[in-house]
């Protein structure tokens, strides 16, 4: 149509046509262009708008769990939110006061948006159940993109508020309590147990898969942690590729940063009438033979050695139990990670660890630590370990005696 109009315009100018004809042709050309744009726009699928009903969703959530007489009892709240309601409300109020994103606002049309309970509940459900974001709109009435954004901002805000309190190095009171528990379990001077955990990275970049692939032939990220008997995680170092082992992670972590600077925690205990001023951690066999690690005896021969191996392995499982409880409470770190950025995964892991410690502190009075007797000192050397004789042990002894007699001659 454009070339036809150009040709017609040239002929009209040279033929000295009237202005009325030229104006009619311009109007005709504009109408044709408008119809063409309408045909193109009509071929596109219009954006679907669904009114989720934010107010109705907030009222249903509030009446189910947060009203004065909620529909669901406290034990159901504890099972679905992984914590008691008082602790949840404490986290919710702190985050709402710190981050304006979680404050309920009104748009330009005067319509109220999502409440802080809806956004934080969506973040909790994604962390606790490990579900996708589009599964939450049926109950919480929140969109997929808003749920993902709420979860990312939630973990960042939680870390900035509670990290210094719930992911810190033990102070003097904490060390005294840890030493008392360790001594009652037969390990005076023990500060905890150390180990690593792998988190599968499903959406790892193709260019990084070789670097992050671990022994399970899948890309993973490693978490190094130190845990105590009550499953409190005192140290967390996360983000190294899964191709590393525990020794490589130890060389890059900051678990002994203060010790290298000469600022070790004050630890004093006696073993076999010898004074020690440095605490230690229980570890498995892969860790180096440092003074800060106490490993098991690979092949114990005496009853005392076997008893030590039994107690060391049972106490060393504290960190393994902490990993299991962490994954049970927050299924997002148990299943494969679906996010693309390492920074997002780092924030999710630290936020789950912080809430894990907050739950332990909040429910510590419900799980009284037993007064474990000093079983290690009570262990006595019984009869010697029986040794299985070789089938030809007598012939071997005769050969040795004959060889000695020949040498004496």
């Amino acid at each position: 149509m454009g070339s036809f109009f150009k040709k017609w315009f040239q002929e009209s100018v040279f033929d000295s046509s009237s202005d009325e004809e030229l104006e009619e042709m311009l109007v005709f050309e504009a109408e044709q262009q408008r119809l063409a744009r309408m045909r193109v726009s009509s071929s596109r699928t219009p954006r679907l708008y669904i009114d989720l009903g934010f107010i109705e969703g907030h009222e249903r959530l509030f009446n189910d769990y947060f009203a004065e007489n909620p529909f669901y009892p406290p034990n159901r709240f504890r099972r679905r939110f992984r914590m008691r309601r008082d602790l949840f409300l404490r986290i919710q109020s702190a985050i709402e006061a710190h981050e304006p994103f979680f404050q309920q606002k009104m748009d330009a049309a005067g319509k109220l948006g999502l409440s802080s309970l809806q956004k934080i509940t969506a973040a909790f459900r994604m962390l606790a159940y490990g579900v996708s974001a589009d599964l939450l709109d049926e109950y919480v009435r929140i969109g997929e993109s808003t749920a993902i954004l709420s979860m990312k901002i939630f973990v960042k805000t939680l870390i900035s508020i509670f990290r210094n309190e719930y992911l810190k190095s033990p102070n003097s009171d904490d060390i005294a309590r840890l030493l008392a528990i360790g001594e009652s379990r037969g390990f005076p001077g023990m500060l905890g147990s150390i180990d690593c955990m792998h988190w599968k990275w499903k959406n790892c970049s193709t260019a990084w898969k070789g670097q992050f692939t671990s022994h399970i032939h899948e890309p993973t990220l490693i978490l190094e942690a130190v845990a105590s008997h009550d499953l409190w995680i005192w140290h967390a170092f996360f983000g190294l590729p899964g191709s590393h082992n525990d020794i490589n992670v130890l060389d890059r972590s900051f678990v002994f940063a203060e010790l290298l600077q000469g600022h070790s925690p004050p630890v004093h205990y006696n073993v076999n009438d010898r004074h020690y001023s440095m605490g230690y951690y229980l570890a498995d066999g892969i860790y180096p033979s440092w003074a800060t690690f106490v490993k098991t005896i690979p092949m114990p021969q005496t009853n005392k050695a076997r008893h030590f191996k039994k107690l060391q392995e049972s106490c060393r499982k504290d960190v393994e139990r902490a990993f299991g409880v962490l994954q049970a409470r927050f299924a997002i770190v148990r299943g494969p990670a679906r996010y693309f950025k390492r920074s997002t995964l780092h924030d999710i892991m630290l936020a789950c660890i912080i809430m894990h410690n907050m739950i332990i502190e909040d429910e510590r009075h419900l799980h009284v630590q037993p007064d474990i007797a000093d079983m290690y000192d009570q262990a006595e050397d019984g009869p010697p370990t029986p040794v299985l004789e070789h089938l030809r042990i007598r012939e071997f002894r005769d050969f040795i005696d004959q060889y000695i007699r020949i040498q004496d001659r």
Side-chain angles (χ1 to χ4, degrees), residues 26-43:
L26 290 173
V27 173
F28 177 77
E29 178 69 14
E31 183 66 19
Q32 293 298 320
Q33 292 179 359
R34 187 183 67 82
L35 293 176
R37 287 195 299 268
M38 290 180 61
R39 285 193 296 269
V40 172
S41 61
S42 62
S43 62

Side-chain angles (χ1 to χ4, degrees), residues 351-365:
C352 292
I353 292 174
I354 290 173
M355 289 190 291
H356 169 82
N357 289 342
M358 296 178 73
I359 295 172
I360 290 177
E361 182 191 55
D362 184 63
E363 301 178 356
R364 184 171 289 165
H365 64 283

Side-chain angles (χ1 to χ4, degrees), residues 111-297:
K111 182 180 179 181
L112 282 175
L114 293 165
S115 64
S116 62
L117 286 178
Q118 290 172 287
K119 295 179 180 179
I120 296 179
T121 300
F124 262 91
R125 293 293 176 91
M126 294 177 67
L127 296 175
Y129 295 134
V131 297
S132 57
D134 58 351
L135 189 65
L136 303 172
D137 62 343
E138 296 180 353
Y139 178 73
V140 186
R141 296 300 182 183
I142 185 172
E144 180 180 2
S145 59
T146 308
I148 295 175
L149 182 61
S150 300
M151 195 272 294
K152 292 181 179 180
I153 299 178
F154 172 79
V155 294
K156 285 182 177 293
T157 309
L158 183 76
I159 293 172
S160 62
I161 296 175
F162 297 104
R163 179 170 187 170
N164 295 332
E165 183 178 359
Y166 291 97
L167 199 58
K168 63 178 181 179
S169 300
N171 53 27
S172 58
D173 296 336
D174 298 330
I175 291 175
R177 183 169 56 86
L178 292 175
L179 292 178
I181 295 176
E183 187 174 1
S184 66
R185 303 176 73 191
F187 290 93
M190 181 185 69
L191 297 176
S193 55
I194 185 172
D195 205 353
C196 293
M197 181 191 80
H198 288 257
W199 185 16
K200 182 180 176 181
W201 191 3
K202 179 179 180 295
N203 289 336
C204 176
S205 175
T206 304
W208 291 355
K209 281 190 176 181
Q211 178 184 359
F212 284 82
T213 299
S214 63
H215 58 282
I216 62 175
H217 308 292
E218 294 286 347
T220 59
L221 293 167
I222 299 179
L223 168 67
E224 180 191 68
V226 173
S228 57
H229 180 59
D230 57 354
L231 306 185
W232 184 287
I233 298 178
W234 294 100
H235 161 77
F237 180 68
F238 176 77
L240 287 185
S243 58
H244 291 70
N245 56 25
D246 294 3
I247 300 179
N248 303 134
V249 178
L250 180 66
D251 293 338
R252 291 163 174 80
S253 67
F254 53 91
V255 60
F256 297 129
E258 295 183 356
L259 183 62
L260 295 176
Q261 297 174 0
H263 303 291
S264 60
V267 177
H268 300 283
Y269 60 96
N270 295 322
V271 175
N272 294 331
D273 297 331
R274 184 175 178 180
H275 181 73
Y276 294 90
S277 60
M278 183 175 62
Y280 59 86
Y281 302 93
L282 301 184
D284 54 12
I286 193 176
Y287 283 90
S289 300
W290 293 353
T292 53
F293 293 134
V294 172
K295 302 191 295 183
T296 186
I297 301 175

Side-chain angles (χ1 to χ4, degrees), residues 67-132:
E68 184 176 358
N69 296 315
F71 182 79
Y72 293 104
N75 60 344
R76 194 67 61 87
F77 184 96
R78 170 64 178 79
R79 189 178 71 180
R80 292 177 177 174
F81 287 84
R82 304 299 193 257
M83 61 183 65
R84 298 192 307 119
R85 187 174 66 173
D86 295 340
L87 179 58
F88 178 88
L89 294 177
R90 176 193 170 192
I91 296 174
Q92 183 263 339
S93 61
I95 289 181
E96 184 180 6
H98 187 273
E99 177 56 50
F101 174 79
F102 292 98
Q103 299 174 2
Q104 191 174 24
K105 302 180 181 65
M106 186 178 295
D107 59 9
K111 182 180 179 181
L112 282 175
L114 293 165
S115 64
S116 62
L117 286 178
Q118 290 172 287
K119 295 179 180 179
I120 296 179
T121 300
F124 262 91
R125 293 293 176 91
M126 294 177 67
L127 296 175
Y129 295 134
V131 297
S132 57

